[in-house]
Amino acid sequence: MPASAYRVTDLRDLDAAFTIRETVFVAGQGVPATLENDEHDRRDARHYLARAPDGTPAGAARWRETENGVKLERFAVLENFRNQKIGATLLHAVLADVRAELPDKEVYLNAQLRAVPFYERHGFQTEGEMFEEANIQHYRMVLR
């Protein structure tokens, strides 16, 4: 069975997604918890959970509509599951829903520098200058 990813509709899955994000961003990258968890989590973001082939929660993401289009955010894959297509499965699930709900909106994200090649392989292009967010270098990327 391949990896799977889906929109969260259950509080247990939401808790699993938040735990993955805390592990990757707060514990792993030193992002302050106050920046990682924001008002959008419970207000207007749509959350996703990816599971490894054995069913273990392995990745998380969210998206929300902004004045600039659809912003993809908080993509995280647990270290033990990286390079196993979990991120690609997650991105495809998110993009399928975005295209179904808001097909005419621009899709963009702020990619950590080391994730830029991953997003480029999936049709995103960098736009503008590199910037820092939570002491991590990023590029704005837009889906073409």
Side-chain angles (χ1 to χ4, degrees):
M1 176 173 104
S4 62
Y6 53 90
R7 191 168 179 168
V8 169
T9 59
D10 176 285
L11 284 177
R12 290 170 300 200
D13 286 345
L14 185 60
D15 185 54
F18 287 162
T19 298
I20 289 166
R21 287 174 35 191
E22 183 174 329
T23 300
V24 171
F25 297 124
V26 179
Q29 297 181 344
V31 174
T34 54
L35 288 179
E36 161 48 26
N37 300 297
D38 64 18
E39 70 275 6
H40 300 292
D41 274 332
R42 303 228 185 247
R43 190 177 72 206
D44 58 347
R46 286 109 168 146
H47 298 274
Y48 290 75
L49 183 66
R51 292 185 179 273
D54 68 359
T56 303
R62 76 178 196 191
W63 68 270
R64 62 189 175 90
E65 190 173 5
T66 72
E67 61 188 27
N68 299 316
V70 174
K71 186 175 184 189
L72 310 187
E73 301 175 307
R74 307 301 199 271
F75 276 78
V77 175
L78 293 172
E79 193 170 356
N80 292 347
F81 296 101
R82 292 183 189 153
N83 299 310
Q84 298 177 33
K85 300 197 185 306
I86 302 289
T89 299
L90 189 56
L91 181 59
H92 291 201
V94 168
L95 288 176
D97 282 1
V98 168
R99 287 181 182 125
E101 287 187 41
L102 299 166
D104 298 326
K105 296 281 186 170
E106 180 173 81
V107 177
Y108 71 100
L109 53 83
N110 293 337
Q112 291 185 11
L113 187 58
R114 68 178 182 213
V116 166
F118 167 79
Y119 291 111
E120 286 176 333
R121 286 193 303 272
H122 295 279
F124 286 83
Q125 293 180 342
T126 58
E127 190 175 79
E129 299 295 317
M130 187 170 50
F131 62 94
E132 277 197 15
E133 199 170 65
N135 294 318
I136 300 169
Q137 295 174 322
H138 288 74
Y139 274 101
R140 175 183 162 93
M141 298 189 79
V142 177
L143 184 61
R144 298 289 179 212

